[in-house]
Amino acid sequence: MGLSETIVAAIIGALATMATAIVQLVRNRAPSDGRPKPKKSRMRSALATIALMIVGGYAWSALRAVSAKEELTATMQAEFSRQFAEFAAKQGQAGAATNGVTMAARTAGAGVAEALAHLPPCHISAQSADAGPVACNESMAQPVTLCAAVPAGAPTAKVRVQARVPKSESPWLERDAGAPTLGSLHFGAATTEYPVSPELRSVCLDVSNWSVEDTLAVRLSVEYGVASAPKSELTAAAPTASL
């Protein structure tokens, strides 16, 4: 499990506080000279117990947050690998059908590539009842990068983002072009692209779910145009002999 420096520091601090609280409890429960313990000593024991419970809960919450993020990342990587394999298989089948000549992905026709993911609710540490309504913010939300594989030489025509609650009959809601949010979903400022192979490139968008209750299904659709054929180099023609 890869832990960030912030989480490691939090765990170290939590363990130190827990150790201090345990030592305090042991000292306060040590046998005395037979005299009853003063009220102040009993109060310190109670405070140490409460501190031990709070810090232990915080450490457990931090570890659970890291574990949930790693599980989500692994799921996204598996989904992207599956989509990449399906796309490559389709390209291979299309090439085999053209007299045994494989067509390069950069000369493929227009089409649509998609990526789909389920984003869990925003994870929030326990708060007291007096803290007011529980709300997610940028530091709590876990962003996920959705990527769709398109032919390397094909221009991106349009990027669409849709969302809905999984396993429901509600229609897909679509984000307005360039809008930073769609309900409780927040998006990156722009898409990013990077090469995957000589034939493919990825079109990616950062998405995060700020809802504290609902898991949301998000679909990224990338429409791409026809790739332009590579320009052939001009060569000088060999002179012909005249009889």
Side-chain angles (χ1 to χ4, degrees):
M1 178 185 298
L3 301 179
S4 64
E5 295 182 359
T6 303
I7 298 299
V8 172
I11 294 176
I12 293 176
L15 292 176
T17 306
M18 291 174 63
T20 303
I22 292 173
V23 171
Q24 184 67 27
L25 285 174
V26 172
R27 291 181 57 188
N28 290 334
R29 290 183 177 274
S32 59
D33 55 359
R35 291 178 297 177
K37 295 182 179 179
K39 183 177 181 181
K40 186 175 181 181
S41 177
R42 292 197 300 271
M43 181 62 69
R44 285 200 301 267
S45 298
L47 292 177
T49 302
I50 294 173
L52 182 62
M53 295 172 61
I54 293 175
V55 175
Y58 175 77
W60 173 251
S61 175
L63 289 174
R64 287 295 301 164
V66 173
S67 177
K69 185 174 182 179
E70 289 184 346
E71 291 176 0
L72 182 60
T73 301
T75 302
M76 289 298 304
Q77 290 177 347
E79 178 66 18
F80 179 73
S81 298
R82 182 187 65 80
Q83 293 180 358
F84 178 81
E86 291 180 355
F87 185 87
K90 291 179 181 179
Q91 292 296 321
Q93 292 173 0
T98 57
N99 297 327
V101 178
T102 303
M103 297 176 63
R106 56 190 174 89
T107 59
V112 179
E114 292 186 348
L116 178 67
H118 288 185
L119 273 63
C122 179
H123 179 80
I124 299 179
S125 302
Q127 297 182 358
S128 62
D130 300 333
V134 179
C136 183
N137 55 46
E138 186 175 1
S139 62
M140 298 177 182
Q142 299 179 2
V144 173
T145 302
L146 283 178
C147 295
V150 302
T156 301
K158 185 178 182 180
V159 177
R160 301 172 58 192
V161 183
Q162 297 172 305
R164 72 176 181 183
V165 177
K167 300 180 181 180
S168 67
E169 300 298 329
S170 59
W172 288 92
L173 300 179
E174 185 166 350
R175 179 189 72 159
D176 294 334
T181 61
L182 175 60
S184 60
L185 291 174
H186 289 240
F187 305 101
T191 58
T192 57
E193 301 185 9
Y194 60 89
V196 177
S197 69
E199 295 79 20
L200 296 174
R201 77 177 192 278
S202 289
V203 179
C204 303
L205 180 66
D206 292 335
V207 186
S208 58
N209 183 9
W210 286 31
S211 172
V212 297
E213 299 177 354
D214 297 325
T215 296
L216 297 177
V218 186
R219 181 168 63 188
L220 173 69
S221 301
V222 180
E223 300 178 8
Y224 55 88
V226 179
S228 58
K231 297 180 180 179
S232 59
E233 296 182 358
L234 297 178
T235 57
T240 58
S242 57
L243 298 177

